Amino acid sequence: MSRTFAYCRVSTADQTTDNQVQEIMSAGFAVDTKRVVTETISGSVAAMERKGFARLVDKLEAGDVLIVTKLDRLGRNAMDVRTTIQKLAAEGVRVHCLALGGVDLTSPAGKMTMAVIAAVAEFERDLLIERTQSGLARAKAAGKALGRPRSLTDNQQRDIIAQRAAGASLGALAKQYSVSRAAIQRVEKRAAA
């Protein structure tokens, strides 16, 4: 006999999973309260790296059904969501998403839905990269300095090189200029190049 589980996730402690649980019950899924897993963690954390979700996966058996209200409850990254659903499908677990009409994401129709979602996510990622590169090229052509501003002026960097040549320690220079030892090392590395 198959069992039904619900996974409800929120990102911050001031949010509640109550609405998600209610939505699942209203959709007609009878989920025993012991099989409702709730978690407060960012969706940017991979599903299998979340403690609550990992414990849930350990409980799931072939034939079980996992219900989520929205796909983003599993994760914000389309690749992570797809990998998670594929792992569950390989173990014989069906995954239903209420926001997608309750479709079983492990069924042929669900797989097609996931393929479309993954294609859209990849397209959006490619557009974002393209816009970012275009913006950087435009800024560079306009003469803008890209990257983080240097914490040390050219004069300070020349002084550091001279003091290091005279035997000053990294720690003393870092303290004197209120920067990290790594910043002093970067100055030396740039001077040597």
Side-chain angles (χ1 to χ4, degrees):
M1 184 170 132
S2 70
R3 303 171 302 166
T4 304
F5 290 81
Y7 178 68
C8 305
R9 181 192 62 75
V10 290
S11 298
T12 62
D14 60 329
Q15 296 173 317
T16 177
T17 58
D18 294 346
N19 289 343
Q20 292 174 53
V21 172
Q22 182 61 43
E23 190 177 336
I24 290 168
M25 300 305 177
S26 296
F29 291 98
V31 182
D32 187 331
T33 54
K34 294 181 292 191
R35 294 191 179 128
V36 175
V37 175
T38 62
E39 191 165 33
T40 302
I41 190 166
S42 171
S44 61
V45 175
M48 300 311 277
E49 293 176 13
R50 299 183 210 144
K51 291 179 184 175
F53 191 79
R55 282 194 307 269
L56 169 62
V57 170
D58 288 341
K59 294 178 187 176
L60 293 170
E61 299 173 356
D64 287 344
V65 177
L66 175 61
I67 312 293
V68 292
T69 56
K70 296 179 185 172
L71 213 49
D72 68 353
R73 298 303 88 197
L74 290 176
R76 291 192 191 129
N77 178 321
M79 296 306 293
D80 179 46
V81 171
R82 191 168 98 192
T83 302
T84 300
I85 291 171
Q86 286 174 338
K87 177 181 177 10
L88 294 170
E91 294 174 12
V93 176
R94 296 188 322 268
V95 181
H96 289 263
C97 177
L98 298 183
L100 297 176
V103 68
D104 174 6
L105 298 173
T106 61
S107 70
K111 288 178 184 174
M112 182 192 73
T113 302
M114 288 302 300
V116 170
I117 289 169
V120 169
E122 184 176 347
F123 176 68
E124 286 177 347
R125 185 178 70 60
D126 289 346
L127 284 178
L128 177 65
I129 290 169
E130 187 177 293
R131 285 191 304 266
T132 302
Q133 289 174 343
S134 175
L136 289 171
R138 189 173 46 255
K140 193 172 185 179
K144 286 196 174 182
L146 302 177
R148 185 170 41 166
R150 291 194 175 165
S151 55
L152 298 165
T153 67
D154 289 342
N155 285 338
Q156 289 174 321
Q157 291 182 45
R158 280 191 288 278
D159 290 344
I160 287 170
I161 298 302
Q163 289 183 52
R164 280 294 284 162
S169 71
L170 289 174
L173 290 171
K175 189 173 184 178
Q176 178 182 343
Y177 290 98
S178 300
V179 295
S180 67
R181 293 167 56 104
I184 303 298
Q185 290 174 319
R186 284 191 296 274
V187 169
E188 287 183 301
K189 196 178 282 187
R190 278 193 296 270

